[in-house]
Amino acid sequence: MDSKTKILIVEHDLWDIELIKFELKKGGIDYVSKVVQSEKDYIDALNNFIPDIILSDYSLPAFDGPSAFRIREELAPGTPFIFVSGAIGEENSVELISSGLTDYALKDKLFTLPVKVKRAIKESVETKQKRKLEQGRTQTAVRLARAQQIAHIGSWELDFDTNVLVLSEEGCRIFGFPLDKNHLSYESWCTLVHPDDIAVVLAIIKEAQEKVKDTSYSHRIICSDGSVKHIYSESKFELNADGKAIGMYGILQDVTERKLAEIQREFDKSNLRSLINNTDDLMWSVDREFKLITFNQPFEDSMRTASAKGLWPGVDVVAVGIATGQMNGYKEFYERAFKGEAFREVEHIYFPVERWLEISFYPIRNGEEVAGSACHSHDIKVRKKAENEIRELNDNLERRIAERTAELTEANKALEAFSYSVSHDLRSPLRAVIGFARIINERQNELPPQIGELFNHIESSSMRMNIIIDDLLTLAKCGRETLKIVPIEMTELFHNIWDKIIYSSPNKVTLELPDLPVAQGDISMMEQVVINLLSNAIKYS
């Protein structure tokens, strides 16, 4: 980096320029220079050459020093400006210096110029450093204020002599004060502490003052709008050279959201404890080392009954009050859950009392990893008892159905035997009637026509009765014999049965029948259906 001083010289006289440069070198100033004579060149040099100091003649043919000074005020207000002139006048010099002129040097006393340049450069550097330091402090204060606002942390100072407490901007925001109302007395501050907390806060402050020790505590405040906030405070004492406390300073943080979240978490924990303990079901969780994470009271009571030992988080759950066989079984269940499987198992326990338990295992995940298993055991003894009762009822019902089926089978057999007996008894006289009717019909030429026709009716009716008896026997065997399903020409079946029925019917009716489809069925049963249909049609025609 170039450490040479950059000097802008505003001068038109070449001899004066050389004298100025000579004196500067003579004075030990390491510099580079740029000489300008017009306003245009001067402005260009301010923007591009960017001098550390400006040396200007007071009067120039086309340009003058006061104009150069005014332009410098606009474009480079922090740059030192020294007039180098033959006669500036005391009145002008005083006025210019009061307006911000750094200094002036007379051309007949140029030996003073190096000293004035060095002094002006030094003051300029110090001013820039001071300005930079102040800007840094300002930026730091702004950043601190922003950080306090983000973190809801304010600061305060208390002077024991004045008894005045000064709040930072964020402190004012926390209490709900305007930013210009940041001064309040200690007594006024005490009135902002929640009435239920003021006694504890004053006791803490009193002890801190007596022992001159730092403090930290939490309390509530009542803001200017009446709302309540939770505050965390830390304070330290400010001591003088003799070690005497002359004041206090500290921070206050608005922890309302965090406090309310803690209260909510505590409520949720309490609510969860109430839920999991207000049941007879067992609930517990284990990590991958088979160590208990948490459990409810029924689980602890059950394990204490089984092992006569207490439980605590971290105890090996498979080694407490469990037989070896059960322990191995539970380990297998836990291992399945550790692999990410959620499932249920039913276990029959005989000790200390007989129970049927339905146990659920559900993996506990920490991100992508399974950290353990949550378990829930429900006593299903009542359900098992109901299932057994239903099973017994079903068994009894099946047995009753079997008995009733056997009874019906015997009854059907008896009915079938009765049907055979009745048909035998009916067939004997019927065969005699049919036989006699045929004998008489063979001698119709010996009888009057009317008598012969009557015996024809007797024979056909007897034949029909024989068919009916056969069909009754077939119906009696329905359900015990397999039906013979065959194609049936329904048109032909209707006409055959009609001819038999109408022959013996006193009603002279005719049958008008369209072509009927072929049906699939048992011929005997289908004949009974058609007989009934046609007989009723004739009867009620």
Side-chain angles (χ1 to χ4, degrees):
M1 182 178 179
D2 190 359
S3 62
K4 293 183 178 183
T5 302
K6 298 166 70 175
I7 300 176
L8 178 60
I9 301 174
V10 185
E11 179 61 69
H12 70 287
D13 191 312
L14 296 178
W15 178 248
D16 288 344
I17 294 172
E18 292 300 323
L19 287 176
I20 290 172
K21 290 181 178 181
F22 174 77
E23 290 296 335
L24 292 174
K25 289 180 180 180
K26 183 181 177 181
I29 299 176
D30 187 14
Y31 72 95
V32 293
S33 65
K34 184 176 183 63
V35 179
V36 297
Q37 298 176 1
S38 66
E39 180 178 354
K40 179 179 179 300
D41 293 339
Y42 177 66
I43 293 174
D44 183 70
L46 288 178
N47 291 326
N48 299 304
F49 181 64
I50 309 176
D52 296 317
I53 189 169
I54 302 170
L55 305 179
S56 175
D57 193 359
Y58 193 79
S59 299
L60 291 87
F63 192 42
D64 62 77
S67 297
F69 179 69
R70 286 192 298 273
I71 293 172
R72 165 264 189 188
E73 285 293 292
E74 295 177 4
L75 302 180
T79 304
F81 193 102
I82 298 177
F83 274 126
V84 181
S85 178
I88 190 174
E90 183 176 352
E91 184 177 345
N92 285 337
S93 64
V94 172
E95 182 181 351
L96 289 168
I97 289 174
S98 64
S99 300
L101 180 68
T102 305
D103 210 339
Y104 68 93
L106 299 175
K107 288 185 177 181
D108 58 355
K109 295 180 180 179
L110 285 178
F111 63 87
T112 63
L113 183 59
V115 176
K116 293 182 179 183
V117 170
K118 290 179 180 179
R119 183 173 63 245
I121 294 294
K122 180 181 179 183
E123 290 176 354
S124 175
V125 171
E126 290 176 351
T127 300
K128 289 180 180 179
Q129 290 178 344
K130 183 178 180 181
R131 186 181 298 114
K132 185 177 181 180
L133 183 61
E134 289 177 353
Q135 290 176 347
R137 281 199 291 265
T138 301
Q139 290 177 352
T140 300
V142 171
R143 292 191 188 102
L144 178 60
R146 290 175 179 172
Q148 288 184 357
Q149 188 173 3
I150 292 173
H152 300 298
I153 297 177
S155 59
W156 56 269
E157 296 179 4
L158 174 63
D159 190 318
F160 288 167
D161 290 336
T162 62
N163 201 34
V164 173
L165 186 142
V166 181
L167 291 170
S168 67
E169 289 186 5
E170 185 60 22
C172 290
R173 292 191 187 95
I174 291 174
F175 281 96
F177 296 151
L179 299 182
D180 59 344
K181 302 294 183 181
N182 62 334
H183 289 65
L184 64 158
S185 66
Y186 175 73
E187 289 76 13
S188 299
W189 175 82
C190 289
T191 63
L192 301 174
V193 180
H194 196 282
D196 295 342
D197 298 344
I198 185 64
V200 175
V201 171
L202 292 178
I204 292 173
I205 294 175
K206 181 180 179 181
E207 181 183 4
Q209 289 175 336
E210 291 174 351
K211 298 180 180 180
V212 191
K213 68 173 186 177
D214 301 337
T215 59
S216 61
Y217 54 93
S218 298
H219 63 92
R220 289 168 292 174
I221 62 170
I222 300 178
C223 300
S224 59
D225 61 358
S227 61
V228 176
K229 291 183 179 179
H230 293 263
I231 299 298
Y232 170 75
S233 297
E234 286 189 11
S235 63
K236 293 181 179 293
F237 283 92
E238 184 178 358
L239 307 178
N240 60 13
D242 299 329
K244 180 182 177 181
I246 59 174
M248 295 179 70
Y249 62 93
I251 61 99
L252 66 156
Q253 182 178 14
D254 182 357
V255 294
T256 304
E257 291 183 4
R258 187 174 70 191
K259 188 67 177 178
L260 294 178
E262 291 176 356
I263 293 173
Q264 184 62 43
R265 282 197 297 272
E266 286 301 318
F267 172 78
D268 292 340
K269 289 181 180 178
S270 176
N271 184 46
L272 182 59
R273 284 194 296 269
S274 299
L275 287 174
I276 66 175
N277 286 317
N278 189 27
T279 178
D280 293 331
D281 293 352
L282 312 184
M283 299 181 187
W284 72 101
S285 58
V286 299
D287 61 21
R288 296 186 69 94
E289 302 297 325
F290 307 110
K291 301 294 192 298
L292 269 177
I293 300 174
T294 186
F295 49 88
N296 67 348
Q297 191 62 45
F299 179 82
E300 181 178 9
D301 295 342
S302 176
M303 298 301 286
R304 189 187 297 275
T305 301
S307 64
K309 296 179 181 179
L311 288 181
W312 59 90
V315 70
D316 189 344
V317 69
V318 297
V320 179
I322 299 178
T324 302
Q326 276 186 304
M327 178 178 66
N328 294 333
Y330 271 95
K331 278 188 175 181
E332 291 180 3
F333 295 153
Y334 292 136
E335 290 288 356
R336 286 171 60 186
F338 296 159
K339 293 177 181 178
E341 181 182 355
F343 60 96
R344 292 181 180 179
E345 294 289 342
V346 175
E347 187 174 28
H348 193 188
I349 296 177
Y350 297 93
F351 180 80
V353 294
E354 183 180 8
R355 288 183 297 171
W356 283 92
L357 301 178
E358 183 180 67
I359 308 174
S360 301
F361 296 84
Y362 195 84
I364 301 173
R365 298 187 180 276
N366 184 8
E368 297 297 326
E369 301 293 330
V370 177
S373 173
C375 310
H376 172 254
S377 176
H378 178 62
D379 191 341
I380 57 172
K381 180 174 59 180
V382 174
R383 192 179 82 189
K384 279 293 182 181
K385 181 180 178 181
E387 289 176 354
N388 291 334
E389 291 176 351
I390 292 173
R391 189 179 297 108
E392 290 179 3
L393 288 174
N394 288 336
D395 293 343
N396 292 336
L397 181 60
E398 290 177 359
R399 185 171 56 255
R400 182 60 181 158
I401 290 173
E403 292 174 353
R404 184 58 179 165
T405 301
E407 293 173 358
L408 290 174
T409 301
E410 292 299 322
N412 286 335
K413 289 180 179 179
L415 178 60
E416 185 177 357
F418 173 76
S419 299
Y420 277 112
S421 175
V422 169
S423 64
H424 180 269
D425 294 341
L426 289 176
R427 284 179 190 277
S428 295
L430 185 59
R431 281 195 294 269
V433 170
I434 293 172
F436 289 131
R438 285 178 178 173
I439 294 172
I440 294 173
N441 282 333
E442 290 175 354
R443 299 179 179 179
Q444 278 191 9
N445 54 354
E446 301 176 6
L447 298 174
Q450 295 84 357
I451 299 300
E453 184 178 352
L454 289 176
F455 277 101
N456 284 334
H457 285 308
I458 292 172
E459 183 182 1
S460 61
S461 296
S462 300
M463 294 296 293
R464 181 183 169 199
M465 176 63 74
N466 190 53
I467 293 171
I468 290 173
I469 292 173
D470 290 338
D471 290 340
L472 286 174
L473 288 174
T474 301
L475 288 173
K477 293 187 285 184
C478 283
R480 295 186 301 280
E481 292 185 0
T482 304
L483 297 178
K484 297 179 181 179
I485 307 299
V486 296
I488 302 174
E489 293 287 347
M490 295 302 294
T491 303
E492 181 181 348
L493 178 65
F494 265 87
H495 282 297
N496 291 337
I497 294 176
W498 176 261
D499 291 342
K500 295 177 182 179
I501 292 176
I502 199 61
Y503 184 77
S504 59
S505 174
N507 299 327
K508 301 302 180 182
V509 295
T510 59
L511 176 66
E512 296 181 1
L513 191 69
D515 290 337
L516 300 178
V518 176
Q520 298 289 330
D522 184 270
I523 185 65
S524 298
M525 298 192 69
M526 188 66 76
E527 285 178 348
Q528 288 299 316
V529 171
V530 175
I531 289 171
N532 289 333
L533 285 173
L534 296 179
S535 298
N536 289 333
I538 294 171
K539 180 179 180 181
Y540 298 104
S541 64

